[in-house]
Amino acid sequence: MTIRVLIADDQGMVRTGFTVFLSSQPDIEVVGEAANGAEAVTRVAELRPDVVLMDVRMPVMDGLAATREITRSVDPPPRILVLTTFDLDDYVYEALRAGASGFLLKDASAQQLAEAVRVVAAGEALLAPSVTRRLIAEFARIGPSRPRGRLDDITERETEVLTLIARGRSNQEIAEELVLSEQTVKTHVGRILAKLNLRDRAQAIVHAYETGLVRPGE
């Protein structure tokens, strides 16, 4: 199935470069571009892309505000892949809270760009180890919003799976640790997302830490 992509960046050369490469991929179609966050919100409503490549620093409305508006007003919302640079570390936590599914460095290779689009389109979280470390550090600073304990909405096994997701484990690693098939883990992940009304693994990680199910350093 073709992945429909919208590119939101205030630099025309960046949009053009991304468009040229992604359009050459057999499974990806660039359906539109936006030069600022407000335009991105409008274009998403019109075009209903599967994935949005969202720059953070844009005029009129920045990428974080646009991400919040899109995830609030569009049902179902697209996956949002935040384009970032090393000097934007402070945006990691806020972008995930706003509804982003992952992060991509602007100096990533063309092949990494295409793979990132595929990963978030499939519902996976795109969180590099360095990003995950900063995210966990932020959770450690703010502390959980609720007392720790098993979440009432999911089963004991699903709680185990969610805990391992929050610790950055892949489906394969979870399967090995819990002695399950990878397909069974995928089924559990899907049920967790549905029961907790979460969009993807990125939101599941945020939820696990914010509810106190998992604490940094454990």
Side-chain angles (χ1 to χ4, degrees):
M1 190 171 69
T2 301
I3 303 169
R4 293 163 47 81
V5 176
L6 175 76
I7 299 170
D9 195 295
D10 62 333
Q11 298 180 35
M13 290 183 65
V14 172
R15 296 197 307 273
T16 298
F18 284 174
T19 297
V20 169
F21 175 73
L22 290 177
S23 296
S24 71
Q25 302 298 300
D27 58 338
I28 299 174
E29 176 188 5
V30 177
V31 296
E33 299 179 9
N36 59 63
E39 189 176 336
V41 172
T42 300
R43 299 291 278 163
V44 166
E46 294 172 349
L47 301 171
R48 294 302 179 98
D50 302 307
V51 175
V52 178
L53 294 181
M54 182 76 76
D55 189 21
V56 172
R57 292 178 174 172
M58 292 188 291
V60 184
M61 177 187 287
D62 67 32
L64 296 181
T67 297
R68 280 191 291 269
E69 180 61 24
I70 288 168
T71 55
R72 183 192 65 79
S73 62
V74 178
D75 187 23
R79 312 290 184 186
I80 297 180
L81 185 58
V82 173
L83 301 172
T84 186
T85 55
F86 283 115
D87 64 337
L88 294 179
D89 291 354
D90 292 344
Y91 290 106
V92 171
Y93 176 74
E94 189 57 37
L96 280 177
R97 287 294 311 275
S101 295
F103 301 84
L104 183 69
L105 294 176
K106 277 196 168 183
D107 61 358
S109 70
Q111 207 56 51
Q112 287 173 326
L113 170 64
E115 187 56 30
V117 168
R118 295 183 182 108
V119 166
V120 297
E124 299 289 333
L126 191 71
L127 298 173
S130 60
V131 171
T132 303
R133 283 194 297 272
R134 293 196 298 273
L135 181 62
I136 291 173
E138 180 65 12
F139 283 127
R141 186 184 69 80
I142 63 175
S145 57
R146 299 212 306 247
R148 74 178 303 152
R150 189 171 74 79
L151 303 180
D152 293 335
D153 296 329
I154 59 178
T155 66
E156 184 175 350
R157 176 61 86 186
E158 289 164 352
T159 300
E160 291 177 322
V161 172
L162 177 56
T163 298
L164 293 174
I165 290 173
R167 289 175 178 157
R169 305 288 202 280
S170 67
N171 283 351
Q172 182 178 349
E173 291 168 335
I174 294 172
E176 291 172 356
E177 187 158 340
L178 298 181
V179 195
L180 300 170
S181 71
E182 193 169 345
Q183 184 55 51
T184 298
V185 173
K186 289 180 180 178
T187 299
H188 282 312
V189 173
R191 288 174 178 165
I192 290 166
L193 298 181
K195 288 181 178 180
L196 298 179
N197 195 29
L198 303 170
R199 283 182 293 277
D200 50 35
R201 288 173 89 98
Q203 299 302 299
I205 291 170
V206 171
H207 188 79
Y209 279 100
E210 288 194 330
T211 56
L213 178 67
V214 178
R215 302 204 179 193
E218 293 183 334

